[in-house]
Amino acid sequence: MSVSSMTGFGSATFTVDSQSYRVDVKSVNHRNVNLRFNLPPALERAEQAAAQLVKERLHRGAINVTVSHQAVDGKGAAVQVHVDTQAARALMDALQRLARAVEAPDPDLDTLLRHGDLLRVEAAQVDPEALREGLLEGLGRAVDEVLKTRDTEGRALADDMRARLARLRDLLASIEAQAPAVLAHFQERLKGRLSEAAEKHGVALDERRGH
């Protein structure tokens, strides 16, 4: 007997341009495929392709797919730093002129950064196609784990069903073995009651009709 459960869980990680992601897939019983995705904004464009992959491999069940953005190889979030060098030079020149005018020490970099909006820090951009391919690869491995856990639970269900069927067969065999004796016992009880009733009412009992 081959039984496959609809309950399963799987996870996997994938890395794109030093950006690490974790994929978690959870499946529970449902008559059809019911998909729910929770993706970071950078991966939302890949949801349709991811849904197609899941539907092709997990044909039934209520399935939740969650993708979370992890740290960047242990270095924290990846960023791009933009420096307005032209503005920095102009500001430094102005500060130096001011320092000379008031006979103050020459300004340093710390002074420059405190007085000018010269740096802009943004999250690093990752190629959308590379993200899509990474997601599908990681999702595929997570689905592999779901299928393994489904098979494991299916085998456990099959073992339980076989044990229950064996118990039913044993009970049926026991009933069949006891049936003649039980039948004879009830026939004797019925015969006795008929005899008592016939004697009470003065009626002759036809023994031939008692069989």
Side-chain angles (χ1 to χ4, degrees):
M1 180 186 298
S2 177
V3 177
S4 179
S5 171
M6 282 188 286
T7 301
F9 178 81
S11 64
T13 59
F14 66 94
T15 302
V16 179
D17 289 347
S18 299
Q19 301 288 309
S20 181
Y21 297 85
R22 176 185 171 93
V23 185
D24 293 303
V25 181
K26 182 179 180 181
S27 170
V28 296
N29 290 338
H30 195 277
R31 62 166 52 184
N32 300 311
V33 176
N34 183 11
L35 285 176
R36 180 176 297 176
F37 280 85
N38 183 9
L39 304 176
L43 290 169
E44 289 178 348
R45 294 182 181 179
E47 181 173 337
Q48 184 175 356
Q52 184 65 30
L53 183 152
V54 173
K55 289 179 180 179
E56 289 176 353
R57 301 192 59 195
L58 303 177
H59 306 295
R60 296 177 64 187
I63 303 161
N64 288 328
V65 178
T66 302
V67 181
S68 54
H69 184 211
Q70 310 290 299
V72 186
D73 290 344
K75 301 176 183 178
V79 296
Q80 292 178 337
V81 180
H82 302 274
V83 181
D84 191 342
T85 306
Q86 184 176 356
R89 288 173 177 166
L91 180 57
M92 178 60 82
D93 183 62
L95 290 173
Q96 287 174 340
R97 290 199 305 271
L98 177 62
R100 287 194 295 271
V102 298
E103 299 182 351
D106 286 341
D108 57 14
L109 181 60
D110 185 56
T111 303
L112 181 70
L113 293 176
R114 287 203 309 268
H115 292 83
D117 186 14
L118 307 175
L119 299 179
R120 188 174 74 256
V121 181
E122 298 177 346
Q125 299 298 312
V126 182
D127 177 39
E129 184 59 26
L131 279 174
R132 176 183 177 277
E133 293 178 359
L135 171 62
L136 295 181
E137 188 274 332
L139 180 59
R141 287 188 285 112
V143 169
D144 288 340
E145 293 297 320
V146 172
L147 291 172
K148 288 179 182 178
T149 56
R150 279 185 168 189
D151 288 342
T152 298
E153 181 163 336
R155 287 194 295 270
L157 290 172
D159 290 341
D160 182 66
M161 291 175 63
R162 280 191 288 266
R164 291 174 183 268
L165 288 173
R167 176 60 177 161
L168 288 175
R169 284 193 293 267
D170 291 343
L171 290 173
L172 180 59
S174 177
I175 291 172
E176 290 177 342
Q178 297 178 43
V182 172
L183 178 60
H185 171 72
F186 278 100
Q187 285 178 335
E188 288 299 320
R189 288 184 61 184
L190 178 60
K191 183 177 178 181
R193 290 185 178 182
L194 289 174
S195 296
E196 291 176 0
E199 182 177 352
K200 180 178 179 180
H201 296 284
V203 178
L205 182 64
D206 186 352
E207 294 288 343
R208 292 174 299 175
R209 300 183 63 182
H211 298 278

